[in-house]
Amino acid sequence: MSTVLTLSGSPSPDSRTSVLLRHTQEWLVDQEHEVLTLHVRDLPTSALLVANTEHPAIRHALGLVRRADGLIVASPVYRAAYSGLVKAFLDLLPDGALAGKVVAPLATGGTQGHLVAMDYSLRPMLSAMGADNLVPGCFVLDRLIQLAGEGGAMDSSALAAVHVALSQFGAALGARHRLPVVA
Amino acid sequence: MTYRLAVVSAGIGEPSSTRLLAERLAQATGQALGGQAEIHVVALRDLAHEVANAVLTGFPAGALREAVDTVVGADALIAVTPIFNASYSGLFKSFFDVLEPDSLAGKPVLIGATGGTPRHSLALEHALRPLFAYLRAVVVPTAVYAAAEDWGGQLTDRIGLAGGELANLVAGTPKPVRQDPYENVVPFEQLLAGNG
């Protein structure tokens, strides 16, 4: 069992990113991982955008990242890149904060063309932050996620793809536990 | 004729090297335009709260509305961000997330960035240029990156070069025709008819 933080960079509580993360969290719980959740939109906005890391809520959020063995970073694709909101939070992390953690990017977007936004913006940014155990993650088209109904729903093919990505994430978490600790 | 230059700085320090670079770029552009430029600086730091609210609600309000109008209505834009994690800052990206997607189409833009080390200078080409390409803005070839040790010397030349490029582009670009959003409203009968 590992501790996994799911990080949402969507500005809206009723978003496709939320539906995707709800399914992700269910999968993680099924696999008996401890799940921590963080919605960047719930953080105090001014403190977030001017990088005030002394604010208690921001310190708490940074503590969640420290505690986690793995991170799921989920963002809607805006202007062919990750949301400004998710970047604002990641900017607050100290150097090396992602080192040794398993990190999986998840993204939702309106067109298949935005698939590359993951590879051209989200992954390189996480990589530049020192994420040295970055697994492929998943991009899900907006139209495969339905917002209607309680908690929304995902198309079965999209859900299967997300489960494949999560299995890779889970396998990397498992391998992490078997690695000798480097002093 | 006088050109309106909007200058967006995402610097968060006081004083801010990002803001300094933004102002130097604006001065260089203004000089290249023979002094026929009005410079309007938008410091995103002072609008952080409004930017965050607009991200959540989808509507820029108050001082942010004015800043958006300044940027959208300008003849050219100079956009400068500190580089964090090899990319633009979250505040900078949030501001451009709030702008309507087509509002910068065809606008001449000069991009600049500041960073602690020269290692991240290509973030301009890998993060900022694609962002403005997506927004269909016209970005001048020379982007200006200033690391802590770059101030003085060649940086001044590069600022002059970039400002000259922006000035040439602005002077050769016809003034945008601003459309009145209320000029061509869909008649009410037509809206209602759509509801069957």
Side-chain angles (χ1 to χ4, degrees):
Chain A
M1 185 191 106
S2 301
T3 301
V4 177
L5 173 63
T6 65
L7 178 68
S8 166
S10 169
S12 162
D14 305 313
S15 63
R16 291 182 168 79
T17 305
S18 305
V19 177
L20 173 58
L21 276 182
R22 186 175 62 76
H23 284 90
T24 300
Q25 286 149 0
E26 282 171 6
W27 186 91
L28 291 167
V29 170
D30 277 349
Q31 303 292 314
E32 301 187 335
H33 293 301
E34 181 194 6
V35 178
L36 310 173
T37 58
L38 177 59
H39 300 282
V40 180
R41 65 173 177 276
D42 292 340
L43 294 174
T45 51
S46 302
L48 178 73
L49 288 177
V50 300
N52 175 6
T53 51
E54 295 306 312
H55 193 288
I58 304 270
R59 280 169 57 178
H60 173 73
L62 296 176
L64 293 178
V65 174
R66 259 197 311 279
R67 260 183 69 197
D69 303 302
L71 256 83
I72 305 267
V73 179
S75 173
V77 174
Y78 288 159
R79 315 291 180 254
Y82 42 76
S83 74
L85 210 52
V86 81
K87 181 66 166 53
F89 178 70
L90 293 171
D91 285 350
L92 303 182
L93 297 179
D95 278 352
L98 299 184
K101 298 184 196 295
V102 181
V103 179
L106 293 181
T108 58
T111 76
Q112 199 69 56
H114 282 161
L115 170 66
V116 296
M118 266 209 9
D119 286 333
Y120 281 82
S121 85
L122 193 49
R123 290 178 64 83
M125 189 256 296
L126 293 168
S127 175
M129 293 185 66
D132 47 13
N133 200 346
L134 194 54
V135 296
C138 195
F139 172 84
V140 184
L141 269 177
D142 282 349
R143 65 179 171 78
L144 301 181
I145 303 175
Q146 289 82 45
L147 296 175
E150 185 144 348
M154 280 182 70
D155 179 274
S156 60
S157 66
L159 192 56
V162 171
H163 283 168
V164 169
L166 289 173
S167 299
Q168 289 171 316
F169 177 74
L173 274 176
R176 183 178 180 274
H177 278 299
R178 289 192 294 277
L179 285 174
V181 175
V182 182
Chain B
M1 87 180 268
T2 305
Y3 297 96
R4 289 193 295 173
L5 303 180
V7 180
V8 171
S9 164
I12 53 176
E14 284 283 353
S16 155
S17 61
T18 303
R19 168 125 187 203
L20 180 63
L21 177 62
E23 288 174 352
R24 295 263 316 262
L25 288 168
Q27 282 163 9
T29 307
Q31 271 172 19
L33 286 167
Q36 293 174 314
E38 270 173 40
I39 296 168
H40 301 274
V41 178
V42 174
L44 295 183
R45 182 189 198 278
D46 302 335
L47 298 170
H49 191 67
E50 285 87 350
V51 169
N53 284 346
V55 166
L56 304 188
T57 61
F59 298 101
L64 179 60
R65 178 79 256 169
E66 285 174 33
V68 167
D69 291 343
T70 299
V71 169
V72 172
D75 297 307
L77 169 65
I78 294 169
V80 189
T81 177
I83 296 296
F84 296 148
N85 298 312
S87 184
Y88 33 66
S89 74
L91 177 58
F92 184 86
K93 178 63 166 41
S94 295
F95 178 74
F96 289 100
D97 283 352
V98 169
L99 289 187
E100 291 292 322
D102 284 336
S103 58
L104 293 186
K107 184 159 323 282
V109 175
L110 166 54
I111 51 176
T114 56
T117 81
R119 284 187 301 177
H120 289 147
S121 56
L122 278 177
L124 280 165
E125 306 302 329
H126 285 273
L128 273 85
R129 201 178 287 277
L131 172 64
F132 288 103
Y134 179 81
L135 294 169
R136 297 194 293 129
V138 184
V139 184
V140 297
T142 302
V144 181
Y145 182 85
E149 70 241 44
D150 289 340
W151 291 93
Q154 286 187 333
L155 180 62
T156 305
D157 298 344
R158 198 166 169 88
I159 288 171
L161 177 65
E165 286 174 2
L166 184 63
N168 283 338
L169 188 58
V170 177
T173 304
K175 280 266 189 188
V177 181
R178 265 181 286 286
Q179 284 185 343
D180 178 356
Y182 302 108
E183 194 180 351
N184 290 312
V185 288
V186 181
F188 215 59
E189 295 74 23
Q190 197 177 325
L191 283 172
L192 289 173
N195 276 335

